[in-house]
Amino acid sequence: MKILSLDSSTESATCSILDENKVYGEITFNYKKQHSTILMTQIDTLLKSMKSSISSIDGFVVSKGPGSFTGLRIGAATIKGLAQGTSKPFVSVSSLDSLAYNMAYTSNIICPILDALRGNVYTALYKFEGTKLKKLTDYTVISVEDLITLLKSKNEPVTFIGDGVYKFKEELSDKISNVKFAPNHLNLSKSSSLGELGLSLLKEGIEDDIYTFSPLYIRKCQAEREYEKKMEKLKND
């Protein structure tokens, strides 16, 4: 089963084509958020480089988040359009699952962190049991201080991965013992990693509905929060 996978949940825009046996190609661009203008170009370049067409793709995988609200909407719209246009299935996979899968098969707790601004991160905790990635906690947005407290209570070696590493590495190193950090090339969201997880789901017959799927935002966007704050202020005036 040949699939096309894309992830636009972070600053990195990435797409790949793979099947059960190998990754045929992957394009990743990690410089500013220009997802709306480069994603389709990346997909077209990848297909042309393989002397192939979108009709050769059997299914699609997209990141459902958490991450950039705008990036997630662009990714969802792109995959929905491709799935509808080709009448092929698609499935979504969490960006946090994908990052954790980059660290196969460490024995440490894996803690992917994506910067959620204002001292917060999107995260979940994982461990590998054999070749299976097991999620230990639910997806959440949490302050770095509370995350440090949580990990200290686990009292186990932990490996951090994701774009939040660049911002919080010093603080995490100072306050948590027995900690490791993924190398730079693994901190990038990888559509190939996302694709492998999604391919397994598609082969099991698991897919998303084009009409009901929406990204995993975890929290409300800034515009919604500001609107609610404004409404609350008017109510109390």
Side-chain angles (χ1 to χ4, degrees):
M1 184 178 192
K2 187 177 291 184
I3 63 145
L4 187 150
S5 174
L6 69 85
D7 189 341
S8 56
S9 61
T10 66
E11 188 167 295
S12 172
T14 173
C15 68
S16 61
I17 295 175
L18 62 146
D19 62 17
E20 298 89 340
N21 300 311
K22 67 179 180 180
V23 176
Y24 291 93
E26 182 170 21
I27 298 176
T28 300
F29 189 73
N30 187 40
Y31 182 72
K32 299 183 179 179
K33 295 177 182 175
Q34 300 174 325
H35 301 41
S36 60
T37 59
I38 66 173
L39 267 178
M40 289 306 299
T41 300
Q42 287 178 297
I43 292 169
D44 186 57
T45 299
L46 197 54
L47 288 168
K48 285 181 177 177
S49 297
M50 293 175 58
K51 295 181 171 59
S52 188
S53 67
I54 199 68
S55 62
S56 68
I57 301 300
D58 300 307
F60 302 93
V61 181
V62 66
S63 172
K64 65 181 176 182
S68 160
F69 284 39
T70 301
L72 290 171
R73 286 193 287 267
I74 291 169
T78 301
I79 285 297
K80 283 184 177 183
L82 292 172
Q84 186 174 38
T86 59
S87 298
K88 302 291 177 63
F90 83 97
V91 70
S92 61
V93 174
S94 169
S95 49
L96 296 173
D97 292 1
S98 174
L99 279 168
Y101 195 63
N102 282 359
M103 293 306 302
Y105 298 102
T106 179
S107 59
N108 289 6
I109 288 177
I110 306 168
C111 183
I113 50 174
L114 296 174
D115 186 15
L117 305 179
R118 300 181 181 178
N120 298 309
V121 292
Y122 298 114
T123 192
L125 301 184
Y126 301 81
K127 264 199 136 177
F128 272 91
E129 293 185 352
T131 60
K132 297 293 184 181
L133 180 65
K134 180 181 179 182
K135 186 154 63 77
L136 305 179
T137 65
D138 202 2
Y139 310 120
T140 188
V141 58
I142 187 174
S143 69
V144 173
E145 291 82 359
D146 288 343
L147 177 60
I148 289 170
T149 299
L150 172 63
L151 289 168
K152 281 184 174 180
S153 72
K154 299 290 184 183
N155 197 30
E156 292 185 53
V158 58
T159 298
F160 289 97
I161 186 170
D163 65 19
V165 166
Y166 305 117
K167 188 171 184 178
F168 300 109
K169 184 174 184 178
E170 184 176 346
E171 182 177 359
L172 295 168
S173 297
D174 289 343
K175 296 182 179 180
I176 302 176
S177 58
N178 208 353
V179 61
K180 293 182 179 179
F181 297 93
N184 286 337
H185 72 282
L186 292 181
N187 284 323
L188 288 176
S189 296
K190 290 183 174 290
S191 54
S192 54
S193 181
L194 188 87
E196 282 200 41
L197 294 173
L199 177 59
S200 296
L201 295 175
L202 286 172
K203 291 182 69 176
E204 292 174 17
I206 299 171
E207 58 185 81
D208 283 292
D209 187 297
I210 191 170
Y211 299 108
T212 60
F213 168 72
S214 61
L216 174 68
Y217 296 122
I218 294 185
R219 67 179 182 182
K220 296 175 181 178
C221 69
Q222 184 176 353
E224 290 176 306
R225 296 195 302 271
E226 291 297 329
Y227 176 78
E228 289 181 354
K229 184 178 178 180
K230 181 179 179 181
M231 290 299 101
E232 185 64 26
K233 185 176 185 299
L234 289 174
K235 181 181 176 180
N236 295 329
D237 285 347

